[in-house]
Structures are given as C-alpha cells and as structure tokens.
Amino acid sequence: MTVPTVDAEIRTLLDTADTGVFPVYGLDAVLADPERYALLRERPDTPADDRVQVRDLFIPGPGGQLRLRVYRPDTRPDTRDNLPMILYVHGGAFTYGSPEAEEERSLRYARDVEAVVVSVDYRLAPEHPYPAAADDAYAALTWIAANAAQLGGDPERIAVAGGSAGGNIAASTALRARDLGGPHLVFQALTYPGVDGSLTSASVREFTDTPVLDRAAMELAWRYYAEERHPEPYASPIRAADLGGLPPAYIAVAEVDPLRDEGLAYAGRLGAAGVTTELVQVPGAVHGFDLLFPKARVSERSLADQVRALREALHP
C-alpha cells in the first residue's frame, strides 16, 4: 500500500512544529518511557473564551472520585436551562491526556453547537487498564443523564464524542448504553477512532512511519490498555457481534493515519446494521491534525463539519 501524501500546509506545520513535549514524530519512544508520557498528563494552560463558562465537578466513580470538566455556553435566556449535552472523551493513546489538553475543541463544541459539553477525566493506562476508562466514561454518562437539571441540560438530547482513544471509549459508551438499557443517546461523533485492538487493518500494517501516530506507538498503546482483552467489544467496539440499535454516527478519518481503515470498517459495519452513518475521509490529514494544528485550512473545515453534524443531531 502506498502511503498518501500529507496535505502541504500540514506538512509545513509538522516540519516547523513546536508542540511542547508532544512529538510529531517518534510517539512510540515517548510511550515506552513512563517519565516522558507522564509529562503529557500534565494539564496545560487553557484558552479563555468569555462566551463559555468552565467549571469542574466531582462525582462518585467506579475507581473513586471522578472529575468532570463542564463547558456551558452563554445562550439566549429561553434556551439556557434546556441545552443538549455532549459527553466528550479526550484522546491520548489511552495513556495520557486530560480534558484541558483538548479544551479548545470542547469550547468550540459548547459555543458553536450550543450544548453543555462534559469532558470526563478518566483513569489512564497502564496503571488503570481496560475496563477502567470505559467504566469511567459510562459512569459519567449515567450521572449527567440523571443530573441533567443541575447542568441545565436536556436528558433526551445527549451525544457522545471523542477522537482517537477517546473515539474508542465514546463508541464503547454507546454500545454499553444500548446493551444495558442506559441513557438514551441521540448521536455519536467519532474522530479518527481507534476501534480495533487487533491491529490487523491494512493501514495499520503499512503505515509504519507516519507523522504523529504509527504502528509502533499503537502497539504500545494497546499493550498498556487491553492487550489480553482487546477482543471484548467494549475494548474494541468493532468486535461487537451486532451494531444494530446504536445511535446515528458521524465518523471522520484522516487519510494519512494508521487508524484510517478501522474507522472506515466501523462506519461500514454501522451502516450495514441499519445505523445512519455519515463518513468523512479528510484528505491529506494526519492523526490528530485538528487538535495539533486547528488553524490549518483542512482542520478548520473538519472542525466546522464536526460542529455541523453535532448541531444537526442535537437541534433537530
């Protein structure tokens, strides 16, 4: 398989990137060193947006106190107490990251979708392997549905969203809600999700030297998260025997990303099971492009499209 060409603007940004401790090449070396990936767990400085109120809540979770970071937009008085809600799950190879690390996306969803965004600070591998993160996300979902009034949210209009490892956990949360008769979800938005721990797709096998994420980094991420249990559907959602009855989905995959083909396959399986699914392949994009380089034209188009899909689902 020939690796596609990276978008010219993204290529320039990669070559000149100053992303702090996050490497745009060689993530596997970081994941192999606890001292280095610990740096990626530190909460970065966050952007300010006076159109969105941000606060932390602490709820009982499966592993103890669970932090939720809540983003609430300023809206018209007539809609202020009945906003849709988005449970957001950050990425980070199951090993690092935080709500603050993806705050720019949460702020944008809150502001432009006009929704209460609740980002869950789930437990991280390898200290807390599967099912810890999945359990935390589902606990957050059940809590926000039961306490929607406290958030000013509508329990009948809840979506889940996440990218990369967060896309995995968001998809797992949707599966669990269906299987357990949990809170009703109206939508799932998955951005370059990692939904298959078997690492057998063509793009995973062939994209061994791609920017941001490559096969070696994926092998470490899955070893830490669910090496022995990746066939379980809440670990690898694509392994679920039946995907029928899940909420409608928006799935965006990056063209130059090892996770591309499993995202494509998951969208195909959802559609075959009768789930309304919108699939977008972002040309020339690398893994995490819209988080690392949100001002790039390809990122701006993708972020606007994510907002459009969520808004259409939550404000029918």
Side-chain angles (χ1 to χ4, degrees), residues 22 87 219 222 296:
F22 184 85
L87 176 67
E219 288 174 342
W222 276 101

Side-chain angles (χ1 to χ4, degrees), residues 98-179:
S98 64
E100 287 84 353
E102 299 185 15
E103 188 135 302
E104 192 164 348
R105 184 186 279 178
S106 293
L107 289 169
R108 178 149 187 180
Y109 283 1
R111 182 185 70 239
D112 293 353
V113 179
E114 289 190 286
V116 177
V117 175
V118 180
S119 186
V120 55
D121 192 14
Y122 58 86
R123 289 170 289 168
L124 298 171
E127 297 91 337
H128 303 285
Y130 172 85
D135 287 349
D136 287 350
Y138 189 69
L141 174 65
T142 59
W143 190 90
I144 67 171
N147 295 274
Q150 179 178 335
L151 301 170
D154 182 353
E156 299 303 317
R157 290 186 293 160
I158 304 176
V160 291
S164 192
N168 171 295
I169 299 164
S172 170
T173 301
L175 278 169
R176 192 178 297 198
R178 179 202 65 180
D179 294 347

Side-chain angles (χ1 to χ4, degrees), residues 103-283:
E103 188 135 302
E104 192 164 348
R105 184 186 279 178
S106 293
L107 289 169
R108 178 149 187 180
Y109 283 1
R111 182 185 70 239
D112 293 353
V113 179
E114 289 190 286
V116 177
V117 175
V118 180
S119 186
V120 55
D121 192 14
Y122 58 86
R123 289 170 289 168
L124 298 171
E127 297 91 337
H128 303 285
Y130 172 85
D135 287 349
D136 287 350
Y138 189 69
L141 174 65
T142 59
W143 190 90
I144 67 171
N147 295 274
Q150 179 178 335
L151 301 170
D154 182 353
E156 299 303 317
R157 290 186 293 160
I158 304 176
V160 291
S164 192
N168 171 295
I169 299 164
S172 170
T173 301
L175 278 169
R176 192 178 297 198
R178 179 202 65 180
D179 294 347
L180 301 182
H184 174 66
L185 293 172
V186 301
F187 200 62
Q188 52 182 325
L190 313 177
T191 310
Y192 33 78
V195 291
D196 185 359
S198 71
L199 305 181
T200 54
S201 76
S203 58
V204 167
R205 293 196 309 270
E206 301 295 332
F207 291 8
T208 58
D209 193 29
T210 43
V212 182
L213 182 66
D214 60 19
R215 181 185 173 90
M218 292 181 61
E219 288 174 342
L220 282 167
W222 276 101
R223 184 186 308 167
Y224 292 155
Y225 182 59
E227 181 176 26
E228 301 300 327
R229 301 175 71 183
H230 74 78
E232 296 185 16
Y234 299 151
S236 293
I238 202 167
R239 298 300 167 187
D242 177 17
L243 297 181
L246 289 170
Y250 170 91
I251 297 179
V253 299
E255 186 180 27
V256 194
D257 182 354
L259 297 181
R260 183 193 67 191
D261 288 354
E262 62 199 73
L264 295 175
Y266 195 60
R269 282 205 58 209
L270 286 169
V275 177
T276 299
T277 303
E278 179 180 357
L279 172 64
V280 178
Q281 179 169 297
V282 183

